[in-house]
Amino acid sequence: MMNIDTKIIKRLSISNLTAQFSEQVTLAVLPIISILILHTSAEQTAILQAINTLPFLIISIPAGIVVDKYKSKNLMILMEVIRSISLVFLFFLISLGKISFFHYLF
């Protein structure tokens, strides 16, 4: 029988795997949607893809340093909470019309 910590880590790992899968799908589908629906040029699509990939390049090394210093369970929980809050905040801004990504990009 699994103890509580193992169950929490298993659930958190599945949640993280689902989030990572969603991010990878976004990386693949975003250029296709921008071309087919928004009729963007090759240059605009490349800029969009670069903007979408830039956070991974900037944050990877500092995040690796942080991961080595803290317990993985606590860090995973914190990152999922931060991700959820930022997505809700972004959705809130978009729904109010305060931010429009495509308006500024194209």
Side-chain angles (χ1 to χ4, degrees):
M1 188 169 182
M2 290 192 288
N3 62 21
I4 294 175
D5 283 343
T6 307
K7 288 180 182 180
I8 291 172
I9 290 175
K10 185 176 180 180
R11 287 181 187 165
L12 200 54
S13 297
I14 290 170
S15 168
N16 193 17
L17 179 65
T18 305
Q20 294 298 323
F21 176 75
S22 301
E23 289 175 11
Q24 294 303 313
V25 168
T26 301
L27 284 172
V29 172
L30 189 63
I32 296 169
I33 290 175
S34 70
I35 291 169
L36 296 177
I37 295 176
L38 299 173
H39 307 290
T40 58
S41 67
E43 181 180 290
Q44 290 170 326
T45 305
I47 291 170
L48 180 63
Q49 195 68 357
I51 290 171
N52 196 30
T53 308
L54 195 59
F56 295 108
L57 297 174
I58 293 172
I59 298 174
S60 294
I61 293 175
I65 294 169
V66 170
V67 167
D68 288 341
K69 291 183 179 183
Y70 297 101
K71 289 184 177 182
S72 61
K73 181 179 84 170
N74 295 338
L75 193 60
M76 287 175 71
I77 291 170
L78 177 66
M79 291 301 111
E80 291 299 321
V81 168
I82 290 172
R83 182 193 323 224
S84 300
I85 290 170
S86 64
L87 288 175
V88 168
F89 184 67
L90 184 61
F91 176 75
F92 180 71
L93 289 176
I94 290 171
S95 66
L96 290 177
K98 299 289 183 187
I99 187 171
S100 173
F101 177 74
F102 292 106
H103 174 73
Y104 295 112
L105 185 61
F106 305 113

